[in-house]
């Protein structure tokens, strides 16, 4: 990039893909491509088996049953399905939806709209300076209480990488009689996830952030809740019987998968899951945290750099007096790819009282040389900008 070797540090936006995943996609199109559920012929049956096999792999990956796995277009589609398929029918005026300022727009805005349409209200949970929910205050002030119908929160936030105390929060919302929708977009593929242990009611994530192709994602939902969730898309293959004025629908998860599905996406997700599982999610979590910590320490040692937070492989920072976009552009001239701006989390920028941040996000396949490149890059950028003064 710009004549330099690429140092890819935007893994929280999307991951790079291992060769096995790319090969799995190619092999599917070379040998197994047909449409699914059209199974009067062998090839279509084989394609269907591959697609359903991927659903099974996803289920195993997060400790769920295959009937609880809806394959979607990504975390955004999954969160919209939770908000409009589940939320709309159950929310009433005055009901509360607990969210945080640290959440991604795809979570926040979906629930904002569901609230507007139903007369429900968003309630923001208090955060400490590190962007973590202050559970003690939530308990003391009973912020999650009788009116809370839904808790909708990221397990790991995308700006600071904060690991939220979701087990405690899920417990609180259950005591209040509500349900927990967990945005796992920055968690799945980065740490072990067991939806049953967490007792999450819904759990959303994207394939492309965990080594698979784009356009595939997951909404896990407890069986009973998926049954209560309305489909958002209607069409082929999600129906049971179609009359002239109405139709009946298949059981979950099939009622949510209208039309031709993203088969190669599902296969690539299954392949990515195999790859991640073989390495081990504990090992991945430890390695990403190690790289993130090393980067945060190196950045903090540069006078003028402020690190807002680091969790796992994610580090958000700024250089005094330099706009984050300018710093990211300077890093790009050195081949270093980072994200700068609001990170689809405007309320979080207001919370941090900054127009934006620079975010470096490490994956397990990054290494210490990448950490050094970032630190040297920021130092060089600082000298360059100071030279302009
Ligand atoms: N939630 C979080 C925490 C995210 O980081 C992202 C992606 N930036 C999303 C949701 C949305 O994921 P996607 O764009 O893959 O739908």
């Amino acid at each position: 990039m710009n004549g330099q070797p690429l140092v890819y540090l935007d893994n929280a936006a999307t991951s790079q893909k291992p060769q096995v995943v790319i090969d799995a996609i190619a092999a599917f199109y070379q040998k197994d491509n047909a449409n699914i559920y059209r199974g009067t012929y062998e090839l279509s049956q084989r394609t269907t088996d591959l697609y359903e096999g991927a659903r099974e792999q996803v289920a195993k990956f997060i400790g769920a049953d295959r009937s609880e796995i809806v394959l979607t277009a990504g975390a955004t589609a999954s969160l919209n399905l939770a908000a409009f398929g589940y939320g709309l029918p159950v929310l009433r005026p005055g009901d509360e939806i607990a969210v945080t300022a640290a959440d991604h727009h795809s979570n926040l805005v979906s629930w904002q709209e569901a609230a507007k349409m139903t007369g429900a209200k968003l309630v923001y949970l208090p955060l400490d300076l590190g962007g973590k929910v202050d559970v003690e205050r939530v308990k003391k002030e009973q912020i999650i209480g009788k009116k809370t119908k839904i808790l909708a929160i990221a397990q790991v936030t995308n700006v600071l990488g904060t690991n939220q105390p979701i087990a405690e929060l899920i417990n609180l919302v259950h005591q209040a009689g509500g349900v927990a929708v967990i945005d796992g977009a920055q968690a799945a593929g980065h740490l072990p996830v067991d939806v049953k242990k967490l007792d999450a009611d819904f759990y959303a994530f994207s394939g492309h952030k965990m080594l698979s192709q784009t356009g595939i994602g997951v909404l896990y939902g407890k069986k009973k809740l998926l049954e209560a969730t309305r489909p958002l898309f209607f069409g082929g293959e999600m129906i049971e019987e179609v009359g002239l004025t109405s139709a009946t629908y298949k059981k979950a998860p099939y009622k949510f998968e209208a039309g031709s599905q993203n088969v190669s996406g599902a296969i690539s997700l299954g392949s990515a899951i195999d790859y991640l599982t073989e390495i081990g999610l504990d090992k991945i979590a430890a390695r990403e945290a190690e790289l993130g910590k090393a980067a945060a320490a190196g950045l903090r040692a540069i006078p003028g750099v402020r690190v807002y937070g680091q969790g796992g492989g994610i580090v958000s920072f700024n250089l005094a007096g330099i706009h984050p976009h300018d710093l990211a552009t300077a890093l790009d001239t050195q081949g270093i790819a980072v994200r700068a701006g609001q990170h689809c989390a405007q309320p979080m920028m207001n919370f941090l009282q900054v127009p934006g941040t620079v975010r470096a996000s490490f994956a397990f396949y990054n290494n210490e040389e990448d950490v050094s490149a970032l630190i040297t890059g920021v130092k060089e950028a600082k000298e360059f900008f100071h030279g302009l003064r």
Side-chain angles (χ1 to χ4, degrees), residues 54-70 193-198 200-203 205 218-223 226:
R55 193 194 308 278
E56 186 83 46
Q57 281 175 287
V58 172
K60 211 165 139 216
F61 183 61
I62 59 168
D65 186 79
R66 55 185 303 286
S67 64
E68 299 171 310
I69 302 298
V70 185
V193 172
D194 186 322
V195 289
K196 296 284 169 196
K197 265 196 210 142
L198 282 175
D201 297 297
F202 290 99
Y203 193 94
F205 59 99
V218 175
L219 181 67
Y220 157 81
K222 283 182 183 166
K223 216 171 181 150
L226 281 186

Side-chain angles (χ1 to χ4, degrees), residues 15 56 58 76 84-85 102 133 136 149 151 155 162 165 177 193 224 227 247 272 294 328 331 346 366 374 380:
S15 71
E56 186 83 46
V58 172
T76 302
F84 299 105
V133 175
E136 286 318 303
K149 279 278 150 57
L151 163 76
Q155 180 172 7
T162 310
V193 172
K224 251 174 67 190
E227 272 158 25
L331 291 171
Q346 238 172 301
N366 288 117
L374 174 68
E380 283 180 16

Side-chain angles (χ1 to χ4, degrees), residues 12-13 74-77 79 104 106 154 156-158 183 185-186 206 208-209 339 344 359:
T76 302
L79 292 166
H104 191 276
S106 64
V156 174
T157 66
N158 65 309
D183 171 2
Q186 297 293 346
S206 284
H208 72 94
K209 290 182 195 281
R339 178 144 178 214
C344 302
R359 181 187 68 186

Side-chain angles (χ1 to χ4, degrees), residues 14 33 93 96 326 352:
T14 199
N33 175 49
E96 294 181 354
D326 292 337
L352 295 173

Side-chain angles (χ1 to χ4, degrees), residues 27-150:
F28 161 66
Y29 282 116
Q30 282 159 357
K31 299 185 302 179
D32 300 317
N33 175 49
N35 211 335
I36 51 173
Y37 311 133
R38 310 292 198 270
T40 45
Y41 53 96
E42 187 186 340
L43 185 63
S44 169
Q45 188 53 50
R46 206 154 80 196
T47 318
T48 306
D49 290 347
L50 287 170
Y51 184 76
E52 290 301 328
R55 193 194 308 278
E56 186 83 46
Q57 281 175 287
V58 172
K60 211 165 139 216
F61 183 61
I62 59 168
D65 186 79
R66 55 185 303 286
S67 64
E68 299 171 310
I69 302 298
V70 185
L71 295 173
T72 68
T76 302
S78 300
L79 292 166
N80 274 267
L81 176 54
F84 299 105
Y86 176 76
L88 271 195
V90 301
L91 289 167
R92 299 279 173 271
D95 285 346
E96 294 181 354
I97 305 162
V99 294
T100 83
D103 280 295
H104 191 276
H105 292 164
S106 64
N107 189 45
L108 280 183
V109 181
S110 301
W111 292 105
Q112 281 175 2
E113 285 301 313
K116 275 193 230 164
M117 291 161 92
T118 57
K121 198 173 101 184
L122 292 194
V123 171
Y124 281 81
L125 300 179
L127 303 176
D128 67 17
L129 291 176
K132 196 176 199 135
V133 175
D134 183 344
V135 180
E136 286 318 303
R137 247 189 84 194
V138 173
K139 282 190 198 161
K140 215 162 91 198
E141 297 174 23
Q142 300 184 339
I143 300 169
I144 292 178
K146 275 197 287 253
K147 289 187 178 166
T148 315
K149 279 278 150 57
I150 286 157

